[in-house]
């Protein structure tokens, strides 16, 4: 057995492989100890361990510097591996959400217990909003036309769906920027508290206020602002809360969404909003609760009626300030006779509106009644009648009998359905209801007029117009949206002269002359100043009508 007599030092390069470290046996007593060859480099020391058999074990003992560098290198590598793994995991999640789930969602929906679409931002925003309003007892109801259309088409399916039984999101998950809800303001008890809670839940909310038009006629309250719209954004989806206010005609009104100077125009895509482009008016809806995509919501009970109202809901206000200025210049007639006429005319208008509503016939304020609304926000006390307009295509064969059943006997009937129909009914206290039927042509509309004494017929020409809602004598009624053009066509006046004209149309006898004589008479009247308030002229006879047209 060989043994060691000396404790040897061996020099190894710092990069030497660990395989050369180990247990070695060198013969003793044969001169000086042998050296293990090495490549010149930095010296490392070896620890020598001798066992009971005189075998020696050599172990490498690194320096303090190398020990520190080794620990640092291991930490860096571990950090890099962790960061790379995390990045790869995030990429997998993103890829699955935006690509695989969209492509394979339909197939996955067949699997048992799956709920497809309920992770969409639209559904989550609506759910969070409903949770917020329910917890605060805020009675909102759904008015979004896109979602309501889908519900209306699938109402039987929706009606038979119970809470939590839906496996697929079909309504609130439809891609869109907004979901619209409405709120009746008089039922809202804690507006400021709700606003703070919404922001704490992650919503970014914008409150739109503007002055209350109902108070424009009251000097001390004019300019008072009221909330009109809320826009609450969660991530990329926005809840549009339309604030409905009660009006005296027992209907609901919402205001124009008009942005003030400090509002960020990029907060949401405002141009895509379904409500707020103009003020709107709606019948007060009866509500019902249903479950839609697993969420309990209130919707209008008569869905078809509400959806039909939306595109025709535009509302225009009476010009309260101008009416006050009118009465400052021309004192209002407050005699007993005038007050009695206003009362009778209002009752007649209410009765006529109720009768036409039962028939399903839309109408609007025409002639002197329309002038009274526009000029003085009321009934002209010396007009002695109520004037309404109806498109001839809305005429019903039972219209006369319906008015007679309502207590309004027929007084006159001029023309016929195909040509220049006009009906006149007798109301109480010698107040008359005149209904003019309008006929549409390619570029204009017209209604006929008949001279009672001679039977001569006339055409009154109007530019085409649309209908808007307004409030008149505590009623929601229609007027032409293009009101100025309509009144000018009816009375032939510029806006500056509205304060001095009566509600009567041009005198028919003065316009019944042959064309040539009429032109001469017209010129003479203008020279004398007699025609200055009636800038209408007759053009040559066409068929059996004398045509009346506004002079440009």
């Amino acid at each position: 057995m060989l043994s060691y007599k000396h404790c040897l030092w061996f020099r190894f390069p710092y990069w030497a492989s660990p395989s050369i470290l180990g247990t070695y046996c060198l013969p003793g007593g044969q001169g000086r100890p042998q050296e293990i060859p090495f490549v010149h480099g930095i010296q490392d020391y070896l620890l020598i361990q001798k066992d009971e058999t005189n075998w020696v074990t050599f172990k490498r003992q690194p320096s303090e510097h190398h020990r520190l560098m080794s620990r640092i290198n291991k930490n860096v590598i571990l950090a890099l591996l962790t960061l790379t793994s995390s990045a790869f995991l995030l990429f997998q999640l993103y890829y699955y959400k935006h690509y695989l789930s969209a492509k394979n969602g339909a197939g996955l929906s067949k699997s048992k217990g799956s709920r497809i679409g309920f992770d969409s931002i639209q559904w989550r925003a609506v759910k969070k909003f409903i949770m917020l309003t329910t917890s605060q007892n805020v009675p909102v109801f759904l008015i979004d036309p896109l979602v309501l259309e889908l519900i209306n088409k699938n109402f039987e399916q929706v009606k038979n769906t119970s809470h939590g039984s839906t496996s697929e999101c079909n309504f609130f998950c439809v891609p869109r920027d907004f979901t619209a809800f409405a709120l009746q303001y008089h039922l809202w008890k804690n507006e400021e508290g709700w606003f703070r809670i919404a922001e704490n839940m992650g919503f970014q909310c914008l409150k739109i206020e503007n002055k209350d038009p109902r108070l424009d006629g009251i000097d001390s309250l004019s300019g008072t602002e009221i909330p009109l719209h809320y826009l609450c954004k969660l991530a990329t989806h926005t809840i549009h809360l339309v604030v409905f206010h009660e009006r005296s005609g027992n209907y609901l009104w919402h205001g124009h969404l008009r942005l003030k100077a400090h509002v960020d125009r990029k907060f949401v895509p405002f141009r895509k909003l379904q409500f707020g482009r103009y003020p709107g008016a709606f019948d007060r809806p009866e509500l019902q609760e249903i479950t839609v995509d697993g969420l309990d919501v209130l919707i209008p009970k008569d869905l078809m009626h509400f959806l039909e109202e939306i595109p025709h809901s535009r509302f225009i206000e009476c010009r309260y300030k101008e009416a006050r200025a009118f009465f400052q210049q021309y004192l209002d007639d407050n005699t007993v006779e005038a007050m009695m006429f206003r009362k009778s005319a209002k009752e007649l208008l209410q009765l006529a509106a109720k009768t036409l509503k039962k028939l399903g016939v839309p109408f609007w304020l025409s002639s002197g009644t329309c002038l009274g609304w526009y000029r003085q926000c009321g009934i002209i006390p010396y007009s002695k009648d109520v004037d309404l307009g109806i498109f001839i295509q809305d005429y019903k064969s039972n219209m006369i009998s319906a008015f007679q059943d309502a207590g309004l006997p027929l007084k006159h009937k001029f023309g016929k359905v195909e040509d220049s129909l006009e009906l006149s009914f007798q109301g109480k206290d010698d107040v008359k209801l005149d209904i003019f039927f309008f006929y549409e042509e390619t570029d204009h509309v017209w209604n006929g007029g008949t001279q009672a004494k001679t039977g001569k017929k006339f055409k009154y020409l109007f530019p085409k117009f649309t209908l808007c809602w307004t409030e008149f004598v505590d009623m929601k009624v229609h007027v032409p949206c293009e009101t100025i053009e309509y009144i000018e066509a009816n009375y032939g006046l510029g806006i500056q002269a509205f304060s001095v004209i009566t509600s009567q149309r041009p005198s028919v006898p003065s316009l019944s002359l042959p064309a040539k004589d009429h032109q001469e008479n017209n010129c003479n009247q203008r020279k004398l100043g007699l025609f200055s308030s009636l800038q209408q002229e007759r053009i040559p006879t066409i068929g059996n009508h004398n045509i009346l047209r506004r002079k440009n």
Side-chain angles (χ1 to χ4, degrees):
M1 176 68 66
L2 299 176
S3 62
Y4 280 95
K5 297 182 179 179
H6 302 281
C7 184
L8 302 178
W9 292 100
F10 288 89
R11 293 177 295 176
F12 291 93
Y14 74 96
W15 44 262
S17 172
S19 62
I20 68 172
L21 301 178
T23 303
Y24 296 88
C25 181
L26 298 179
Q30 296 182 12
R32 61 178 187 155
Q34 299 181 12
E35 293 185 357
I36 298 177
F38 66 96
V39 179
H40 292 283
I42 301 175
Q43 295 184 4
D44 284 337
Y45 294 101
L46 297 179
L47 294 176
I48 302 171
Q49 252 180 350
K50 181 178 178 183
D51 62 16
E52 64 278 3
T53 59
N54 276 343
W55 287 85
V56 179
T57 300
F58 300 88
K59 295 182 180 179
R60 184 174 181 176
Q61 177 178 297
S63 65
E64 189 65 28
H65 171 74
H66 291 147
R67 189 179 295 112
L68 179 61
M69 289 301 295
S70 175
R71 189 180 299 113
I72 293 174
N73 289 338
K74 289 179 181 178
N75 291 338
V76 171
I77 292 172
L78 181 61
L80 288 175
L81 288 174
T82 303
L83 183 61
T84 305
S85 301
S86 301
F88 183 71
L89 180 60
L90 289 173
F91 172 79
Q92 285 181 312
L93 291 173
Y94 178 87
Y95 183 80
Y96 175 81
K97 180 177 179 180
H98 292 274
Y99 295 95
L100 294 183
S101 61
K103 293 180 180 179
N104 301 329
L108 291 173
S109 65
K110 305 299 181 182
S111 62
K112 185 177 180 180
S114 60
R115 287 168 58 81
I116 303 306
F118 291 94
D119 61 342
S120 71
I121 185 60
Q122 294 96 329
W123 185 83
R124 287 191 286 114
V126 172
K127 179 184 178 181
K128 214 165 189 179
F129 178 76
I130 292 175
M131 289 173 56
L132 167 64
T133 55
T134 302
S135 66
Q136 297 298 305
N137 295 319
V138 182
V140 300
F141 59 98
L142 182 67
I143 60 170
D144 192 275
L146 176 61
V147 180
L148 289 182
E149 285 278 5
L150 292 174
I151 293 174
N152 190 51
K153 291 178 181 177
N154 303 276
F155 190 73
E156 289 302 317
Q157 173 190 343
V158 174
K159 187 172 66 174
N160 297 324
T161 301
S162 60
H163 183 76
S165 64
T166 307
S167 62
E168 189 168 355
C169 185
N170 296 313
F171 303 96
F172 288 126
C173 297
V174 175
R176 63 198 183 283
D177 295 300
F178 301 92
T179 301
F181 286 84
L183 164 74
Q184 297 184 46
Y185 187 66
H186 68 283
L187 301 176
W188 201 355
K189 305 302 181 184
N190 185 23
E191 178 188 353
E192 294 302 325
W194 179 90
F195 194 79
R196 289 193 300 270
I197 295 172
E199 292 185 329
N200 291 337
M201 291 180 69
F203 285 102
Q204 293 177 273
C205 291
L206 174 65
K207 180 179 181 180
I208 306 295
E209 292 182 308
N210 220 314
K211 61 182 181 180
D212 189 346
R214 298 169 296 181
L215 304 177
D216 273 356
I218 307 174
D219 285 330
S220 60
L221 298 177
S222 180
T224 303
E225 291 197 339
I226 55 175
L228 300 177
H229 298 267
Y230 280 95
L231 295 165
C232 293
K233 183 169 65 173
L234 184 69
T236 58
H237 193 71
T238 302
I239 302 297
H240 180 195
L241 181 59
V242 182
V243 183
F244 280 174
H245 295 266
E246 286 186 309
R247 299 288 292 243
S248 56
N250 194 31
Y251 64 95
L252 300 179
W253 168 91
H254 72 77
H256 182 200
L257 197 158
R258 186 178 287 110
L259 299 179
K260 296 184 178 180
H262 67 276
V263 175
D264 180 9
R265 264 60 177 174
K266 296 181 180 179
F267 181 69
V268 294
F270 290 99
R271 292 183 180 274
K272 295 183 180 180
L273 289 171
Q274 295 284 345
F275 298 88
R277 297 177 186 174
Y278 41 73
F282 292 84
D283 294 335
R284 186 188 301 274
E286 184 181 353
L287 303 177
Q288 64 176 335
E289 185 177 284
I290 61 172
T291 300
V292 182
D293 292 336
L295 303 174
D296 294 332
V297 295
L298 291 172
I299 64 170
K301 192 170 185 178
D302 191 346
L303 269 180
M304 281 298 298
H305 177 67
F306 186 81
L307 288 169
E308 288 170 356
E309 282 189 293
I310 293 175
H312 307 291
S313 62
R314 186 178 178 185
F315 184 94
I316 56 178
E317 293 286 351
C318 169
R319 306 185 313 152
Y320 296 105
K321 291 182 179 179
E322 289 78 2
R324 282 189 298 167
F326 174 81
F327 286 122
Q328 288 174 358
Q329 187 173 0
Y330 304 95
L331 295 180
D332 194 9
D333 187 350
N334 291 319
T335 62
V336 174
E337 293 79 6
M339 295 176 66
M340 289 298 296
F341 171 74
R342 289 193 186 97
K343 180 177 181 294
S344 299
K346 178 179 178 179
E347 292 174 352
L348 179 59
L349 178 58
Q350 289 173 336
L351 181 58
K354 183 179 179 180
T355 304
L356 291 171
K357 185 176 182 179
K358 286 182 179 179
L359 293 171
V361 175
F363 70 93
W364 65 91
L365 304 183
S366 188
S367 302
T369 309
C370 182
L371 175 64
W373 165 79
Y374 187 81
R375 186 180 67 183
Q376 56 208 67
C377 296
I379 296 171
I380 300 175
Y382 47 81
S383 59
K384 305 304 179 186
D385 57 17
V386 173
D387 301 313
L388 304 181
I390 296 176
F391 286 115
I392 193 61
Q393 59 265 31
D394 294 320
Y395 172 79
K396 300 289 180 66
S397 58
N398 61 339
M399 187 175 288
I400 294 176
S401 61
F403 276 102
Q404 289 176 333
D405 292 342
L408 300 175
L410 182 67
K411 184 175 183 179
H412 296 297
K413 178 182 178 181
F414 298 112
K416 50 188 177 180
V417 175
E418 297 80 14
D419 181 20
S420 305
L421 181 64
E422 180 183 336
L423 301 177
S424 182
F425 297 92
Q426 185 61 58
K428 294 180 180 179
D429 302 321
D430 203 30
V431 181
K432 189 162 56 83
L433 172 67
D434 291 331
I435 300 179
F436 303 98
F437 289 88
F438 284 69
Y439 298 76
E440 290 191 78
E441 303 291 347
T442 304
D443 59 350
H444 66 278
V445 297
W446 62 273
N447 76 288
T450 304
Q451 187 179 5
K453 293 181 180 180
T454 64
K456 285 186 177 182
K457 293 190 293 185
F458 298 85
K459 270 188 177 180
Y460 294 90
L461 303 185
F462 296 80
K464 284 197 166 185
F465 57 87
T466 54
L467 296 177
C468 288
W469 291 111
T470 192
E471 186 172 310
F472 181 68
V473 293
D474 299 327
M475 294 176 61
K476 179 171 77 92
V477 293
H478 273 131
V479 292
C481 300
E482 300 80 11
T483 314
I484 297 177
E485 292 82 356
Y486 185 84
I487 293 177
E488 283 183 337
N490 219 341
Y491 294 99
L493 293 173
I495 188 67
Q496 69 277 4
F498 283 176
S499 60
V500 296
I501 65 174
T502 69
S503 64
Q504 302 300 318
R505 282 186 171 187
S507 174
V508 173
S510 68
L511 300 175
S512 60
L513 301 171
K516 182 178 179 181
D517 295 337
H518 168 73
Q519 290 173 359
E520 294 176 358
N521 186 55
N522 188 6
C523 291
N524 291 332
Q525 287 183 342
R526 282 206 181 96
K527 289 179 181 178
L528 296 173
L530 300 177
F531 207 78
S532 60
S533 64
L534 295 173
Q535 297 177 11
Q536 284 185 322
E537 61 179 57
R538 186 173 67 86
I539 64 175
T541 302
I542 299 178
N544 294 322
H545 295 86
N546 292 309
I547 309 298
L548 299 182
R549 175 176 292 161
R550 175 174 62 86
K551 182 180 181 298
N552 293 326

